[in-house]
Amino acid sequence: MSARTEDAARANRIDTVDAVVVGAGFAGLYAVYKLRSLGLTVRGIETAAGVGGTWYWNRYPGARCDVESVDYSYSFSPELEQEWNWSEKYATQPEILAYINHVADRFDLRDHFLFETRVTSAELDEESLRWEVRTDRGDVLTAQYCIFATGALSTANMPNIPGRESFSGDTHHTGHWPHEGVDFTGKKVGVIGTGSSGIQSIPLIAEQADHLYVFQRSANYSVPAGNMSWDDEMRRAIKAGYAERRRLSRESGGGSPYNAHPKSALEVSEEERRAAYEERWKLGGVLFAKTFPDQTRTDAANATAREFAEQKIRRLVDDPAIAEKLIPNDHPIGTKRIVTDTHYFETYNRPNVTLVDLKETPIESITRSGITTTDTEYTLDTLVFATGFDAMTGALDRMRIVGRAGVSLAECWSEGPKTYLGVGVPGFPNMFVVTGPGSPSVLANMVLGAEQHIDWIAACIEHLWENDYDAIEATVPATDRWVEHCRELASTTLFPLANSWYMGANIPGKPRVFMPYIGGFGAYGKILAEVADEGFRGFDFC
Ligand code: FAD
Ligand code: N01
């Protein structure tokens, strides 16, 4: 599994390379592969003891992808596509981690990385236009290019609930799950959070625990995964059509080979609408949010999807009062990521599961023995925080990244992240963010998103070489226009209405800005290509 390539006492590295890549998830691994293929010397740095990123850290029971594995996998190597056999439609975390480890070995990427090493700062030397990258192990790397593949969902959010540290039982965050697993047998378990991580893990924890208390602040929409095993015949058929599948994915709105119904939800008959929703419900998961093109654009269209999903929830949950608590009432469907579940709502039919509605009875404190709400003390052995991430900017904010004139990225982004195309930031020459804010990022298949960005960054570096430039830097006007374009696009949707992590609303004090680009994966790819074709329009060179 996660091989340690560096021993705990390795000497620090003082080194000069062409490029530093931070992160060894899907993005960081591909960045190392791609830049190496250009002939660059590359040093990767990763906090974890192995490759995998998201899939290294999130080992909680039930962790799976919600984009089909055949799509949520690298496309850069047709040989890899043909040789890897996914066992299910939505692979489990161990299978995805095994795949990433296979890729690291097959393409000989592991040795480029310093593992168990956290980047603490990256500072620009304005004279030489080189980046000095420092780590918590005393390493100092000087590089022309600095690529942050640090993940959009890699910084766990531990809420500051009073008394959190006093709990005497075991505490786990889903995003930092112990490698040896957690045995809930005979335990009274509390899960705080009903986002994707909570909803994926709750059914499996319930099967093991003596009693499970789910502490729900906001109910969430969730659609059954419709997961299935792939047999050889199915795999053969998918592999035969892989190239076309990828083409459709690259042109689609979300990076998968599916598109919304051609008509508005309100243009079709009641019968046709129900049939379309039913078909998407059966297809499974997050794609339900994109059944009709206007579903997250108008209240009236959204209401039709909500009504359909709510009827499903009422049918799945035996106790009507519990069903009502499980139906969201604070956001339009799809404006928080729809969860892809396996028997989530049915779990509330079990006698050993209690739903605690925190809107009715908020948590007052965590105590030595459990959780106290405004009306009850719950005695617990184990507490699971499924409380999400400081998304999109969290990992970058936790490093000291300093560009021109000693100005930090944190200062530049104090009112919310500002990028050109989600990749470049004015004042930070030769610094690239992969799947950053201002790109489709978390709204699309992130493996294809990472490949798209890294291929573009590689083309950008080749452009520098061809024109004998030393550095590329996003201009302020192009960035301002892009930020405004992203804001305008979001404002034509219902997304800004939700208190979602897309809006930064889950982190106290974080600026409330819709962070991803919502114009679609295919449309964004076209813009990236046009910008490159026009000599990287909107960037300055020196
Ligand atoms: P990550 O995989 O997050 O890797 C970033 C790495 O950078 C981490 O390993 C981190 O330790 C490292 N790092 C960060 N800061 C530093 C530092 N300062 N120094 C050194 N190292 C650092 N997306 C989809 O498209 N489809 C899905 O089905 C899907 N499922 C998901 C399921 C879960 C449970 C979660 C949490 C997310 C899921 N996502 C999904 C989003 C997922 O994060 C991306 O798909 C993808 O894995 C991101 O890859 P990445 O390489 O960009 O970032
Ligand atoms: O995190 P979340 P997540 N007291 O932020 C609650 C991807 N992912 O880890 O909504 C009580 O969605 C919070 O409540 P509220 C996917 O993109 C994918 O589940 O803020 N509750 C919410 O219920 C996903 O969207 C998969 O009111 C508190 C929950 O914690 C993203 O990662 C699986 C609280 C957090 O939900 C994040 O998902 C897992 C508090 N103080 C993750 N603080 C797949 O299926 C927070 N909460 C592929």
Side-chain angles (χ1 to χ4, degrees), residues 54-55 58 60 62-67 72 90 96 152-153 157-161 173-175 191-200 215-220 286 330-331 336-341 358-359 363 385-391 442-443 446 499-502 505-508:
T54 289
W55 305 101
N58 291 266
Y60 60 84
R64 289 175 188 275
C65 49
D66 63 1
V67 170
Y72 185 69
Y90 300 104
I96 302 171
L153 294 160
N157 168 41
M158 267 302 224
N160 270 331
I161 299 173
H173 190 286
T174 48
V191 173
I192 302 179
T194 49
S196 299
S197 305
I199 287 179
Q200 282 192 326
F215 295 89
Q216 170 188 279
R217 189 164 67 182
S218 313
N220 232 328
V286 76
D330 62 351
H331 66 278
K336 285 182 165 184
R337 191 174 181 91
I338 289 191
V339 181
T340 301
D341 77 88
L358 299 180
K359 290 240 162 94
I363 294 178
F385 285 87
T387 45
F389 302 90
D390 182 352
V442 289
L443 296 181
M446 288 195 76
N499 287 323
S500 65
W501 57 258
Y502 299 136
N506 63 329
I507 303 296

Coordinates of all heavy atoms in Angstrom, one line a residue, residues 54-55 58 60 62-67 72 90 96 152-153 157-161 173-175 191-200 215-220 286 330-331 336-341 358-359 363 385-391 442-443 446 499-502 505-508, ligand 2:
T54 N -6.9 12.3 -1.8 CA -8.3 12.0 -1.2 C -8.4 10.5 -0.8 O -8.9 10.2 0.2 CB -9.3 12.3 -2.3 OG1 -9.4 13.7 -2.4 CG2 -10.7 11.7 -1.9
W55 N -7.9 9.6 -1.7 CA -8.1 8.2 -1.5 C -7.1 7.6 -0.5 O -7.3 6.4 -0.1 CB -8.2 7.5 -2.8 CG -9.2 8.2 -3.7 CD1 -9.0 9.1 -4.6 CD2 -10.6 8.1 -3.5 NE1 -10.2 9.6 -5.1 CE2 -11.2 9.0 -4.4 CE3 -11.5 7.3 -2.6 CZ2 -12.6 9.1 -4.5 CZ3 -12.8 7.5 -2.8 CH2 -13.4 8.4 -3.7
N58 N -9.2 9.4 3.0 CA -10.6 9.1 3.3 C -10.9 7.6 3.3 O -11.5 7.1 2.3 CB -11.5 9.8 2.3 CG -11.5 11.3 2.5 OD1 -12.3 11.9 3.2 ND2 -10.5 11.9 1.9
Y60 N -12.9 5.9 5.4 CA -14.0 5.5 6.3 C -14.9 4.5 5.6 O -14.8 4.3 4.3 CB -14.9 6.8 6.5 CG -15.4 7.5 5.3 CD1 -16.6 7.1 4.7 CD2 -14.7 8.5 4.7 CE1 -17.1 7.7 3.6 CE2 -15.2 9.2 3.6 CZ -16.4 8.7 3.0 OH -16.9 9.3 1.9
G62 N -17.6 2.6 3.6 CA -18.5 3.1 2.6 C -17.9 4.1 1.6 O -18.6 4.5 0.7
A63 N -16.7 4.5 1.8 CA -16.1 5.6 0.9 C -16.0 5.0 -0.5 O -15.4 4.0 -0.7 CB -14.7 6.0 1.4
R64 N -16.6 5.7 -1.4 CA -16.6 5.3 -2.9 C -16.6 6.6 -3.7 O -16.9 7.7 -3.2 CB -17.9 4.6 -3.3 CG -18.0 3.3 -2.8 CD -19.4 2.8 -3.2 NE -19.7 1.5 -2.5 CZ -19.3 0.3 -3.0 NH1 -18.7 0.2 -4.1 NH2 -19.6 -0.8 -2.3
C65 N -16.3 6.5 -5.0 CA -16.5 7.6 -5.9 C -18.0 7.8 -6.2 O -18.7 6.8 -6.1 CB -15.6 7.5 -7.1 SG -15.8 5.9 -7.9
D66 N -18.3 9.0 -6.7 CA -19.7 9.1 -7.2 C -19.8 9.5 -8.7 O -20.8 9.8 -9.2 CB -20.5 10.2 -6.3 CG -19.9 11.6 -6.4 OD1 -18.9 11.8 -7.1 OD2 -20.4 12.5 -5.7
V67 N -18.6 9.4 -9.3 CA -18.5 9.5 -10.8 C -18.1 8.1 -11.1 O -17.2 7.5 -10.5 CB -17.5 10.5 -11.2 CG1 -17.2 10.4 -12.7 CG2 -17.9 11.9 -10.9
Y72 N -14.0 8.1 -13.9 CA -13.2 8.7 -12.8 C -11.8 8.0 -12.8 O -11.5 7.3 -11.8 CB -13.9 8.6 -11.5 CG -13.3 9.3 -10.3 CD1 -13.2 10.7 -10.3 CD2 -12.7 8.6 -9.3 CE1 -12.6 11.4 -9.2 CE2 -12.1 9.3 -8.2 CZ -12.0 10.6 -8.2 OH -11.4 11.3 -7.2
Y90 N -19.2 2.0 -9.2 CA -18.5 3.0 -8.3 C -17.6 2.2 -7.4 O -18.0 1.6 -6.5 CB -19.6 3.7 -7.5 CG -20.6 4.5 -8.3 CD1 -21.9 4.0 -8.4 CD2 -20.3 5.7 -8.9 CE1 -22.9 4.6 -9.2 CE2 -21.3 6.4 -9.6 CZ -22.5 5.8 -9.8 OH -23.5 6.5 -10.5
I96 N -9.8 2.2 -5.5 CA -9.3 3.4 -6.1 C -7.8 3.7 -5.7 O -6.9 4.0 -6.5 CB -10.2 4.7 -5.8 CG1 -11.6 4.4 -6.3 CG2 -9.6 5.9 -6.5 CD1 -12.6 5.4 -5.9
A152 N -8.9 20.1 -3.7 CA -10.0 21.0 -3.4 C -10.7 20.6 -2.1 O -11.3 21.3 -1.4 CB -11.0 21.0 -4.5
L153 N -10.5 19.3 -1.7 CA -11.2 18.7 -0.5 C -10.1 17.9 0.3 O -10.3 16.7 0.5 CB -12.3 17.8 -1.0 CG -13.5 18.6 -1.7 CD1 -14.3 17.7 -2.5 CD2 -14.3 19.3 -0.7
N157 N -12.3 19.7 8.1 CA -12.9 20.8 8.9 C -13.4 20.1 10.2 O -14.3 19.3 10.3 CB -14.1 21.4 8.2 CG -15.0 22.2 9.1 OD1 -14.4 23.0 10.0 ND2 -16.3 22.1 9.0
M158 N -12.7 20.5 11.3 CA -13.1 20.0 12.7 C -13.8 21.2 13.3 O -13.2 22.2 13.7 CB -11.9 19.7 13.5 CG -11.5 18.2 13.4 SD -12.8 17.2 14.0 CE -11.9 16.0 15.0
P159 N -15.1 21.1 13.5 CA -15.8 22.3 14.1 C -15.5 22.5 15.5 O -15.2 21.5 16.3 CB -17.3 21.9 13.9 CG -17.3 20.4 13.8 CD -16.0 20.0 13.2
N160 N -15.4 23.8 15.9 CA -15.1 24.1 17.3 C -16.3 24.0 18.2 O -16.8 25.0 18.6 CB -14.6 25.6 17.3 CG -13.1 25.6 17.1 OD1 -12.4 24.6 17.5 ND2 -12.6 26.7 16.5
I161 N -16.7 22.8 18.4 CA -17.9 22.6 19.3 C -17.3 22.6 20.8 O -16.3 22.0 21.1 CB -18.6 21.3 19.0 CG1 -19.1 21.3 17.6 CG2 -19.7 21.0 20.0 CD1 -19.7 20.0 17.1
H173 N -12.2 11.8 12.3 CA -12.7 12.6 11.2 C -12.7 11.7 10.0 O -11.7 11.0 9.7 CB -11.9 13.8 11.0 CG -12.5 14.8 10.0 ND1 -12.6 14.6 8.6 CD2 -13.2 16.0 10.2 CE1 -13.2 15.6 8.1 NE2 -13.6 16.4 9.0
T174 N -13.8 11.7 9.2 CA -13.8 10.8 8.0 C -12.6 11.1 7.0 O -12.2 10.1 6.4 CB -15.1 11.0 7.2 OG1 -15.3 12.4 7.0 CG2 -16.3 10.4 7.9
G175 N -12.1 12.3 7.0 CA -11.0 12.6 6.1 C -9.6 12.3 6.7 O -8.6 12.6 6.0
V191 N -22.5 10.1 15.0 CA -21.9 10.7 13.7 C -22.4 12.1 13.6 O -23.7 12.3 13.6 CB -22.3 9.9 12.5 CG1 -21.9 10.6 11.2 CG2 -21.7 8.5 12.5
I192 N -21.5 13.1 13.5 CA -22.0 14.5 13.3 C -21.7 14.8 11.8 O -20.6 14.6 11.3 CB -21.1 15.5 14.1 CG1 -21.2 15.2 15.6 CG2 -21.6 16.9 13.8 CD1 -20.4 16.1 16.5
G193 N -22.8 15.1 11.1 CA -22.7 15.5 9.7 C -23.4 14.5 8.8 O -23.3 13.3 8.9
T194 N -24.1 15.1 7.9 CA -24.9 14.3 6.9 C -24.7 14.8 5.5 O -25.6 15.0 4.7 CB -26.4 14.3 7.2 OG1 -26.8 15.6 7.5 CG2 -26.7 13.5 8.5
G195 N -23.4 15.1 5.2 CA -23.0 15.3 3.8 C -22.6 14.0 3.2 O -23.0 12.9 3.7
S196 N -21.9 14.0 2.1 CA -21.5 12.8 1.4 C -20.8 11.8 2.3 O -21.1 10.6 2.3 CB -20.7 13.0 0.2 OG -21.3 13.8 -0.7
S197 N -19.9 12.3 3.1 CA -19.1 11.3 3.9 C -20.0 10.7 5.0 O -19.9 9.5 5.2 CB -17.9 12.1 4.6 OG -17.1 12.7 3.7
G198 N -20.8 11.5 5.6 CA -21.7 11.0 6.6 C -22.7 10.0 6.0 O -22.8 8.8 6.5
I199 N -23.3 10.4 4.9 CA -24.3 9.5 4.3 C -23.8 8.2 3.7 O -24.4 7.2 3.7 CB -25.1 10.4 3.2 CG1 -26.0 11.4 4.0 CG2 -25.9 9.5 2.3 CD1 -26.8 12.3 3.1
Q200 N -22.5 8.3 3.3 CA -21.9 7.0 2.8 C -21.5 6.1 4.0 O -21.7 4.9 3.9 CB -20.6 7.3 2.0 CG -20.8 7.8 0.6 CD -19.5 7.8 -0.2 OE1 -18.4 8.0 0.4 NE2 -19.6 7.5 -1.5
F215 N -26.3 13.0 14.3 CA -26.5 14.4 14.6 C -26.6 15.2 13.3 O -25.6 15.5 12.7 CB -25.4 14.9 15.6 CG -25.5 14.1 16.9 CD1 -24.7 13.0 17.1 CD2 -26.2 14.6 17.9 CE1 -24.8 12.3 18.3 CE2 -26.3 14.0 19.1 CZ -25.5 12.8 19.3
Q216 N -27.8 15.5 12.9 CA -28.0 16.1 11.6 C -28.4 17.6 11.8 O -29.4 18.0 12.4 CB -29.2 15.5 10.9 CG -29.7 16.2 9.6 CD -30.9 15.7 9.0 OE1 -30.9 14.7 8.3 NE2 -32.1 16.3 9.3
R217 N -27.5 18.5 11.2 CA -27.8 19.9 11.3 C -28.7 20.3 10.1 O -29.7 20.9 10.3 CB -26.5 20.8 11.3 CG -26.8 22.2 11.6 CD -25.6 23.0 12.0 NE -24.6 23.1 10.9 CZ -23.4 23.6 11.0 NH1 -23.0 24.1 12.1 NH2 -22.6 23.7 9.9
S218 N -28.3 19.9 8.9 CA -29.1 20.1 7.7 C -29.3 18.8 7.0 O -28.3 18.1 6.8 CB -28.4 21.1 6.7 OG -27.9 22.2 7.4
A219 N -30.5 18.5 6.6 CA -30.8 17.3 5.8 C -30.2 17.5 4.4 O -30.1 18.7 4.0 CB -32.3 17.1 5.8
N220 N -29.9 16.4 3.7 CA -29.3 16.5 2.4 C -30.1 15.7 1.4 O -30.7 14.6 1.8 CB -27.9 16.0 2.5 CG -26.9 17.0 1.9 OD1 -27.2 17.7 1.0 ND2 -25.7 17.0 2.5
V286 N -25.4 11.5 -8.4 CA -25.2 12.9 -8.6 C -25.8 13.4 -9.9 O -26.2 14.6 -10.0 CB -23.7 13.3 -8.4 CG1 -22.9 12.9 -9.6 CG2 -23.6 14.7 -7.9
D330 N -33.9 23.7 3.3 CA -33.1 25.0 3.3 C -32.3 25.3 2.0 O -31.6 26.2 2.0 CB -32.1 25.0 4.5 CG -31.1 23.9 4.4 OD1 -31.2 23.0 3.5 OD2 -30.2 23.8 5.2
H331 N -32.4 24.4 1.0 CA -31.7 24.7 -0.2 C -32.4 24.0 -1.4 O -32.9 23.0 -1.3 CB -30.2 24.3 -0.1 CG -30.0 22.8 0.0 ND1 -30.1 22.1 1.2 CD2 -29.7 21.9 -0.9 CE1 -29.8 20.8 1.0 NE2 -29.6 20.7 -0.3
K336 N -26.4 22.0 -3.2 CA -25.3 21.3 -2.5 C -25.1 20.1 -3.2 O -26.1 19.5 -3.8 CB -25.8 21.0 -1.0 CG -25.8 22.2 -0.1 CD -26.2 21.8 1.3 CE -26.0 22.8 2.3 NZ -26.3 22.3 3.7
R337 N -23.9 19.5 -3.2 CA -23.7 18.3 -4.0 C -24.7 17.2 -3.6 O -24.7 16.8 -2.4 CB -22.3 17.8 -3.8 CG -21.9 16.7 -4.9 CD -20.5 16.3 -4.8 NE -20.1 15.3 -5.7 CZ -19.6 15.6 -7.0 NH1 -19.5 16.8 -7.4 NH2 -19.3 14.6 -7.8
I338 N -25.4 16.7 -4.5 CA -26.3 15.6 -4.2 C -25.5 14.3 -3.8 O -24.5 14.1 -4.5 CB -27.2 15.2 -5.4 CG1 -28.2 16.4 -5.6 CG2 -27.9 13.9 -5.3 CD1 -29.3 16.0 -6.6
V339 N -25.9 13.7 -2.8 CA -25.1 12.5 -2.3 C -25.5 11.3 -3.1 O -26.6 11.2 -3.6 CB -25.3 12.3 -0.8 CG1 -24.4 11.2 -0.3 CG2 -25.0 13.6 -0.1
T340 N -24.5 10.4 -3.3 CA -24.7 9.1 -3.9 C -24.7 8.1 -2.8 O -23.6 7.9 -2.3 CB -23.6 8.9 -5.0 OG1 -23.7 10.0 -5.9 CG2 -23.8 7.6 -5.7
D341 N -25.8 7.4 -2.5 CA -25.8 6.6 -1.3 C -26.1 5.1 -1.6 O -26.5 4.8 -2.7 CB -26.8 7.1 -0.3 CG -28.2 6.8 -0.6 OD1 -28.7 5.7 -0.3 OD2 -28.9 7.6 -1.3
L358 N -30.6 18.6 14.9 CA -29.9 19.7 15.6 C -30.6 21.0 15.3 O -30.3 22.0 16.0 CB -28.5 19.7 15.2 CG -27.6 18.5 15.5 CD1 -26.2 18.7 15.1 CD2 -27.7 18.2 17.0
K359 N -31.5 21.1 14.3 CA -32.2 22.4 14.1 C -33.2 22.5 15.3 O -33.5 23.6 15.8 CB -32.9 22.4 12.8 CG -31.9 22.5 11.6 CD -32.2 23.7 10.8 CE -31.0 24.0 9.9 NZ -31.0 23.5 8.6
I363 N -26.6 21.1 19.4 CA -25.6 20.7 20.4 C -25.2 21.8 21.3 O -25.0 22.9 20.8 CB -24.4 20.2 19.6 CG1 -24.7 18.9 18.7 CG2 -23.2 19.9 20.5 CD1 -23.5 18.4 17.9
F385 N -16.6 12.6 13.2 CA -16.9 13.9 12.6 C -16.9 13.7 11.1 O -15.9 13.4 10.5 CB -15.8 14.8 13.0 CG -15.9 15.3 14.4 CD1 -15.3 14.6 15.4 CD2 -16.6 16.5 14.7 CE1 -15.4 15.1 16.7 CE2 -16.7 17.0 16.0 CZ -16.1 16.2 17.0
A386 N -18.1 13.8 10.5 CA -18.2 13.7 9.0 C -18.5 15.2 8.6 O -19.5 15.5 7.9 CB -19.4 12.8 8.6
T387 N -17.7 16.1 9.1 CA -18.0 17.5 9.0 C -17.3 18.2 7.9 O -17.2 19.5 7.9 CB -17.6 18.2 10.4 OG1 -16.3 17.7 10.8 CG2 -18.7 17.8 11.4
G388 N -16.8 17.5 6.9 CA -16.3 18.1 5.7 C -15.0 18.8 5.7 O -14.1 18.4 6.5
F389 N -14.8 19.7 4.8 CA -13.5 20.3 4.5 C -13.6 21.8 4.3 O -14.6 22.4 4.0 CB -13.0 19.7 3.1 CG -13.0 18.2 3.1 CD1 -14.1 17.5 2.7 CD2 -11.8 17.6 3.5 CE1 -14.0 16.1 2.8 CE2 -11.8 16.2 3.6 CZ -12.9 15.4 3.2
D390 N -12.4 22.4 4.6 CA -12.2 23.8 4.2 C -11.9 23.8 2.7 O -10.8 23.6 2.3 CB -11.1 24.4 5.0 CG -10.9 25.9 4.7 OD1 -11.5 26.4 3.8 OD2 -10.1 26.6 5.4
A391 N -13.0 23.8 1.9 CA -12.8 23.4 0.5 C -12.2 24.5 -0.4 O -12.3 25.7 -0.2 CB -14.2 23.1 -0.1
V442 N -14.6 21.0 -8.6 CA -15.5 20.1 -7.9 C -16.8 19.9 -8.6 O -17.6 19.0 -8.1 CB -15.7 20.5 -6.4 CG1 -14.4 20.3 -5.6 CG2 -16.1 22.0 -6.4
L443 N -17.1 20.7 -9.6 CA -18.4 20.5 -10.3 C -18.3 19.5 -11.4 O -19.3 19.3 -12.1 CB -18.9 21.8 -10.8 CG -19.2 22.9 -9.8 CD1 -19.7 24.2 -10.5 CD2 -20.3 22.4 -8.8
M446 N -13.1 15.1 -11.5 CA -11.9 15.8 -11.1 C -10.6 15.2 -11.7 O -9.6 15.8 -11.7 CB -11.8 16.0 -9.6 CG -12.8 17.0 -9.1 SD -12.4 17.6 -7.5 CE -11.0 18.7 -7.7
N499 N -26.3 27.4 1.7 CA -25.1 27.6 2.6 C -24.2 26.4 2.4 O -24.1 25.5 3.2 CB -25.6 27.6 4.0 CG -26.3 28.9 4.3 OD1 -25.8 30.0 3.9 ND2 -27.3 28.8 5.1
S500 N -23.6 26.4 1.2 CA -22.8 25.2 0.8 C -21.3 25.5 1.0 O -20.9 26.6 1.1 CB -23.0 24.8 -0.6 OG -22.5 25.9 -1.4
W501 N -20.5 24.4 0.9 CA -19.0 24.6 0.9 C -18.6 25.2 -0.4 O -17.5 25.8 -0.4 CB -18.3 23.3 1.3 CG -18.5 22.1 0.5 CD1 -19.3 21.0 0.8 CD2 -18.0 21.8 -0.8 NE1 -19.3 20.1 -0.2 CE2 -18.5 20.5 -1.2 CE3 -17.1 22.4 -1.6 CZ2 -18.1 19.9 -2.4 CZ3 -16.7 21.8 -2.8 CH2 -17.2 20.6 -3.2
Y502 N -19.4 25.1 -1.5 CA -19.0 25.8 -2.7 C -18.9 27.3 -2.4 O -18.2 28.0 -3.1 CB -20.1 25.6 -3.8 CG -20.4 24.2 -4.3 CD1 -21.7 23.8 -4.4 CD2 -19.4 23.3 -4.6 CE1 -22.0 22.5 -4.9 CE2 -19.7 22.1 -5.1 CZ -21.0 21.7 -5.3 OH -21.3 20.4 -5.8
A505 N -19.5 28.6 2.9 CA -20.4 28.9 4.0 C -20.2 28.0 5.2 O -20.7 28.2 6.3 CB -21.9 28.8 3.6
N506 N -19.5 26.9 5.0 CA -19.3 25.9 6.1 C -18.2 26.3 7.1 O -18.0 25.6 8.1 CB -19.0 24.5 5.6 CG -17.8 24.4 4.8 OD1 -17.3 25.4 4.1 ND2 -17.1 23.2 4.8
I507 N -17.4 27.3 6.7 CA -16.2 27.7 7.5 C -16.5 29.1 8.1 O -16.6 30.0 7.3 CB -14.9 27.7 6.7 CG1 -14.7 26.3 6.0 CG2 -13.7 28.1 7.5 CD1 -14.4 25.1 7.0
P508 N -16.5 29.2 9.4 CA -16.8 30.5 10.0 C -15.8 31.5 9.5 O -14.6 31.3 9.5 CB -16.7 30.3 11.5 CG -16.9 28.8 11.7 CD -16.4 28.1 10.4
Ligands
N01_2 O1 -18.7 17.3 3.9 P1 -20.0 18.3 3.8 P2 -18.5 15.8 3.3 N1 -22.4 20.8 13.9 O2 -19.4 19.6 4.0 C1 -22.2 19.1 9.1 C2 -16.9 15.1 -1.7 N2 -17.2 13.7 -1.2 O3 -17.2 15.3 3.8 O4 -24.9 21.2 6.1 C3 -23.2 20.0 13.2 O5 -20.7 18.0 2.6 C4 -22.7 19.8 7.9 O6 -24.0 20.4 8.3 P3 -24.5 21.7 7.5 C5 -18.2 15.7 -2.2 O7 -17.9 16.6 -3.2 C6 -17.7 12.9 -2.1 O8 -19.6 15.0 3.6 O9 -23.3 22.7 7.4 N3 -23.0 19.6 12.0 C7 -22.9 18.7 6.9 O10 -24.0 17.9 7.2 C8 -18.8 16.3 -1.0 O11 -19.8 17.3 -1.3 C9 -18.1 11.6 -1.7 O12 -25.6 22.2 8.3 C10 -21.9 20.1 11.3 C11 -21.6 17.9 7.2 O13 -21.2 18.2 8.5 C12 -17.6 16.9 -0.3 O14 -16.6 15.9 -0.6 C13 -17.9 11.2 -0.4 C14 -21.1 21.0 11.9 C15 -20.5 18.2 6.3 O15 -20.9 17.8 5.0 C16 -17.7 17.1 1.2 O16 -18.4 16.0 1.8 C17 -17.4 12.1 0.5 C18 -21.3 21.4 13.2 N4 -20.6 22.3 13.9 C19 -17.1 13.4 0.1 N5 -20.1 21.4 11.0 C20 -18.6 10.7 -2.7 O17 -19.6 10.1 -2.5 C21 -20.4 20.7 9.9 N6 -21.5 20.0 10.1 C22 -18.0 10.6 -4.0

